[in-house]
Amino acid sequence: MRYILLSWLDRDSIAVPGTVGWSTADLRTHFRYLDDLNQSLTTTGELVSSHTLAHHRRALIVRADARPATRIVRFSGSRALAGYWLIDCARPRRAIEIAALLSAAPGTSARPLNHPVEMRPVAGAEAPRLPGRPTPA
């Protein structure tokens, strides 16, 4: 089963390339943790794709009605999407474990951020189910 894990941060606390007020050492520790986690998930075959997103001020609003693409002038909402991981896990419980590892990424003074990670199944990417077998927990 595939899941997308969305990493959200308070929009007022983020800046490119990291978080306002973080030391260079804190940024290195944070990104080393994520790189190590990505490598581990690649080794197990669970990581499909992962990317950090540019600051929300670089996002464009695009519509199909031929209006020109526009920049977000005022961000609506209190959160900004910081990045995503597309993972492939045999069980939902494993996807939850991975989401918790992402939430535990270190912040300032190497303390776990405990930031929200949204976990959503990818529609149409369910593992095949064998007749007579229960759905994995």
Side-chain angles (χ1 to χ4, degrees), residues 33-52:
Y33 176 93
L34 293 176
D35 287 344
D36 290 348
L37 180 56
N38 286 347
Q39 183 58 51
S40 173
L41 296 173
T42 297
T43 300
T44 63
E46 295 170 307
L47 183 64
V48 176
S49 177
S50 170
H51 291 282
T52 300

Side-chain angles (χ1 to χ4, degrees), residues 55-111:
H55 195 281
H56 68 271
R57 289 189 193 109
R58 296 192 53 203
L60 294 175
I61 302 297
V62 178
R63 293 190 170 88
D65 64 4
R67 283 187 269 180
T70 57
R71 293 227 180 259
I72 297 174
V73 176
R74 202 175 105 191
F75 190 83
S76 61
S78 62
R79 304 182 309 163
L81 186 59
Y84 75 90
W85 288 257
L86 182 60
I87 59 173
D88 195 347
C89 301
R91 292 186 165 80
R93 186 174 303 144
R94 176 60 180 148
I96 291 169
E97 290 170 359
I98 294 169
L101 290 170
L102 290 170
S103 177
T108 56
S109 303
R111 289 188 309 263

Side-chain angles (χ1 to χ4, degrees), residues 4-40:
I4 190 160
L5 306 177
L6 304 170
S7 177
W8 296 93
L9 296 176
D10 176 357
R11 72 176 172 94
D12 294 327
S13 71
I14 63 172
V16 176
T19 299
V20 173
W22 284 26
S23 69
T24 302
D26 289 337
L27 285 169
R28 280 193 193 117
T29 300
H30 178 78
F31 287 113
R32 187 177 315 117
Y33 176 93
L34 293 176
D35 287 344
D36 290 348
L37 180 56
N38 286 347
Q39 183 58 51
S40 173

